[in-house]
Amino acid sequence: MSGDSGLRPNDDRIAAMVRQYEVERFYYDEAALLDAHRYEEWIALFSDDAHYFMPIRRTRMQRELNKEFTQPGEMAFFHDDKTLLAGRVAKLKSGRSWAEDPPSRTRHLITNVRVLRDSGRELEVESNFHVYRTRLNSEESSWIGSRRDLLRRVEGSFQIADRKIFLEQTVLLSRNLSNFF
């Protein structure tokens, strides 16, 4: 009996598994920072040239699905760079953000993480999320959607260079969007 069963993973498969683990770990650590209100550390996960975009979803007929989401330059829930994100964080930390005083309790669940492309320096990654928020005694909100990120390899980890957030909802029932995705 030969020792080669044909089941030995090759180096490419091992590298893909390690990359998948590193990307998932990055996302889980990011979610933990947001849930712990460690926003300054969360902002540090973004590159200086980062773009954070969450378009508005509209209900369209089958023939117009290409117009379902607003585009850059049109109305959007978020169309921020790192400076604007940092300004949002500063407002949250100031104590003058009525929408977050007292602060919300959140849980960010990340799933279905798929590396779509790896150019060596940058990765295009798709993931799904469920963000659950409870506030005060009875206020509850829930957002479900997908994200498409461009992650840049930096010093043994990643930075988010571009994030596009696509909500499943066309009508938001929450009182505000003071949280991050």
Side-chain angles (χ1 to χ4, degrees), residues 52-79:
Y52 187 88
F53 182 66
M54 187 166 79
I56 296 170
R57 183 177 214 148
R58 303 168 292 198
T59 301
R60 296 289 187 195
M61 300 300 280
Q62 182 73 30
R63 67 182 176 276
E64 293 185 319
L65 283 181
N66 62 329
K67 297 177 183 176
E68 185 175 22
F69 290 100
T70 58
Q71 299 299 310
E74 298 177 339
M75 292 290 290
F77 292 117
F78 295 104
H79 194 186

Side-chain angles (χ1 to χ4, degrees), residues 38-153:
R38 293 166 53 190
Y39 301 119
E40 290 92 358
E41 292 172 71
W42 177 72
I43 285 289
L45 299 178
F46 287 83
S47 64
D48 289 340
D49 63 340
H51 186 236
Y52 187 88
F53 182 66
M54 187 166 79
I56 296 170
R57 183 177 214 148
R58 303 168 292 198
T59 301
R60 296 289 187 195
M61 300 300 280
Q62 182 73 30
R63 67 182 176 276
E64 293 185 319
L65 283 181
N66 62 329
K67 297 177 183 176
E68 185 175 22
F69 290 100
T70 58
Q71 299 299 310
E74 298 177 339
M75 292 290 290
F77 292 117
F78 295 104
H79 194 186
D80 296 352
D81 58 14
K82 187 173 182 176
T83 302
L84 281 172
L85 284 175
R88 290 180 192 275
V89 165
K91 183 178 178 185
L92 284 175
K93 300 302 276 182
S94 73
R96 295 188 179 130
S97 179
W98 64 267
E100 282 301 315
D101 194 16
S104 296
R105 294 166 300 278
T106 62
R107 198 58 54 205
H108 289 73
L109 307 174
I110 308 301
T111 186
N112 295 46
V113 176
R114 296 181 330 136
V115 177
L116 303 176
R117 184 182 58 82
D118 183 349
S119 70
R121 183 170 180 256
E122 295 180 332
L123 288 81
E124 189 176 319
V125 181
E126 209 170 58
S127 62
N128 293 338
F129 67 85
H130 181 181
V131 177
Y132 172 80
R133 177 178 73 180
T134 182
R135 190 167 178 282
L136 303 172
N137 291 330
S138 61
E139 210 176 289
E140 286 187 51
S141 301
S142 187
W143 298 272
I144 296 173
S146 64
R147 301 184 306 195
R148 181 164 274 194
D149 291 340
L150 184 65
L151 300 182
R152 198 171 286 150
R153 284 189 170 91

